[in-house]
Amino acid sequence: MTEIAIESPFTAAGFGGAYRSTRSRRPGEVNLKSCGLLHPSAAEFHAATLRRIDPIEILTYPVLAETYALVARQLGVDADLLVLTPGSDPGLGLLLRAFPRAERIVLHTPNFGGWSKFARIAGRTLDQVLPAESGEFRLADLTERMRQGAPAFVVVTQPHSYTGQVHAAAELEELAEEVGRHGSLLVLDTAYLAFTEGGEELVRGVVGRPHVVRVNSFSKSHGLSGARIAALALHPERAGHVFDLDPEAPVSGVALALLRAALAEPELFATIQADVRRLRGVFATLIEDSMPGWRARPSGGNFVAFDVPEPATAAGAYEYLNEHAIITRDLSGLPGMPAAVRIAIGDEPTVHRVADLLTTWRRGRSL
């Protein structure tokens, strides 16, 4: 009998299993690289929720109506604008399939790595825009690049996922107007917006327009990274194109139950998010005071990016923290970041532990 070779369509492109997860976790490890919500109050809340989840959420297929109503209230939009997805990554993949006319992905670099992945899978051009000489990102640069070619997905992360930079509402509204005139689609990634004071007011003026899509993960804002749940907010006519791809089928009933419980306690999570903002300021001050030459970038996320004196400083600090089971991100060499590290905000003891470890490392280097 002759065997029939079945090859992946991606083999020729050289994917080579690049997207297989290789994550691991050491005992006692604290992951301050992925920027999860490592707040004790969130942990306690989810532990209690898991103990009381009705088994019907596992035994039967999910029912989504109640979750849609809560998400609509949370994001300040009509439920008709929403599409629930099992995390923001699948949501982005759905957008590329639903709107094939957009041939390019115009975005600032560095940016969320998922865009590079989806561009490769979908055969789209990744059109990357560098930061200004100051290291800041300008939305006008996205507009200029967009105008140079075919319709595109124009991506803005608000706040930026590497630096924490926040764009003003007027800037976003001007960009949205230009994107609409060009026949492109503005994709607004708001994964970290809950940690920006007054953040919802910055995006409210553009969400719901026919050429704007908001991608909102609940991984960071509500501590649901492991649950994998997100929402797209887009004009109902656009949402129909996404629903044609059956986006809700993979959504987990347990994830929905966890999200419903969290969204039903807005005051609790607003308090948690405010505490993260407080700790972000405490941490930035601690590091700048104890680490000469380290400068904290203004951040609207649950992390702080520090510009440091040289790449060797960033690499040494990263390695020392890693040896002590603290995982961070060395950003050195990325556009606009010649020497930098990004460190997420954990709970208060972790904030002080990281600051103490870095101080010990600095003193050891100076001996």
Side-chain angles (χ1 to χ4, degrees):
M1 182 176 178
T2 303
E3 277 193 14
I4 299 174
I6 300 176
E7 294 189 1
S8 164
F10 302 127
T11 302
F15 277 45
Y19 305 126
R20 178 186 290 274
S21 175
T22 58
R23 292 188 183 95
S24 61
R25 186 180 290 124
R26 293 174 289 175
E29 180 179 277
V30 180
N31 184 345
L32 301 182
K33 176 183 178 181
S34 300
C35 300
L37 182 62
L38 304 182
H39 195 283
S41 295
E44 292 168 9
F45 178 83
H46 290 314
T49 301
L50 285 167
R51 285 193 293 269
R52 62 174 185 267
I53 284 180
D54 190 330
I56 201 70
E57 304 289 358
I58 301 167
L59 297 171
T60 65
Y61 291 112
V63 175
L64 289 85
E66 184 182 351
T67 309
Y68 271 116
L70 288 167
V71 172
R73 185 181 71 182
Q74 175 71 22
L75 301 184
V77 299
D78 191 274
D80 289 344
L81 275 67
L82 296 174
V83 182
L84 288 170
T85 63
S88 58
D89 284 53
L92 299 179
L94 287 165
L95 287 177
L96 266 66
R97 292 170 59 197
F99 303 106
R101 183 168 170 266
E103 300 175 7
R104 301 179 294 147
I105 303 172
V106 176
L107 76 173
H108 287 129
T109 185
N111 217 309
F112 172 53
W115 284 111
S116 177
K117 174 179 67 177
F118 290 120
R120 190 176 183 187
I121 292 172
R124 306 296 172 85
T125 300
L126 195 64
D127 205 343
Q128 301 180 86
V129 177
L130 296 173
E133 289 186 11
S134 64
E136 291 188 332
F137 299 106
R138 298 185 302 205
L139 298 188
D141 293 340
L142 293 179
T143 299
E144 182 180 348
R145 182 64 60 83
M146 173 191 70
R147 289 171 175 163
Q148 294 173 9
F153 293 99
V154 180
V155 178
V156 174
T157 50
Q158 171 80 330
H160 193 268
S161 56
Y162 279 71
T163 68
Q165 181 183 338
V166 177
H167 298 286
E171 291 180 90
L172 284 172
E173 291 181 19
E174 183 177 351
L175 176 63
E177 292 287 346
E178 294 292 339
V179 168
R181 280 193 281 268
H182 187 261
S184 289
L185 199 66
L186 175 60
V187 180
L188 193 59
D189 184 344
T190 58
Y192 296 97
L193 192 63
F195 306 106
T196 302
E197 192 162 6
E200 288 296 324
E201 294 304 313
L202 297 177
V203 304
R204 198 175 303 283
V206 300
V207 175
R209 297 189 187 189
H211 49 277
V212 177
V213 180
R214 177 179 181 178
V215 182
N216 193 86
S217 167
F218 295 97
S219 295
K220 320 300 182 184
S221 62
H222 289 77
L224 293 171
S225 295
R228 314 306 301 131
I229 186 73
L232 308 181
L234 65 170
H235 191 274
E237 291 181 10
R238 304 277 188 176
H241 295 301
V242 178
F243 276 117
D244 286 342
L245 300 172
D246 195 16
E248 299 170 336
V251 174
S252 157
V254 174
L256 292 170
L258 287 164
L259 179 58
R260 284 198 303 273
L263 294 182
E265 297 291 342
E267 291 184 6
L268 170 64
F269 280 89
T271 299
I272 291 171
Q273 292 152 7
D275 195 42
V276 171
R277 292 195 292 271
R278 176 187 69 83
L279 288 170
R280 183 180 65 203
V282 169
F283 184 58
T285 300
L286 281 172
I287 298 302
E288 288 188 328
D289 288 349
S290 61
M291 303 294 290
W294 287 51
R295 180 180 65 84
R297 295 196 180 202
S299 176
N302 63 336
F303 57 83
V304 182
F306 294 95
D307 291 302
V308 304
E310 58 185 4
T313 302
Y318 168 85
E319 291 296 340
Y320 187 79
L321 291 174
N322 186 52
E323 290 168 6
H324 290 79
I326 303 288
I327 311 303
T328 59
R329 186 184 286 272
D330 182 352
L331 303 175
S332 300
L334 293 175
M337 310 183 85
V341 293
R342 190 190 72 181
I343 304 175
I345 303 303
D347 58 10
E348 188 139 13
T350 301
V351 161
H352 288 279
R353 181 185 171 200
V354 172
D356 290 344
L357 283 169
L358 287 173
T359 301
T360 301
W361 171 74
R362 176 185 62 80
R363 289 172 178 166
R365 293 180 75 212
S366 63
L367 292 178

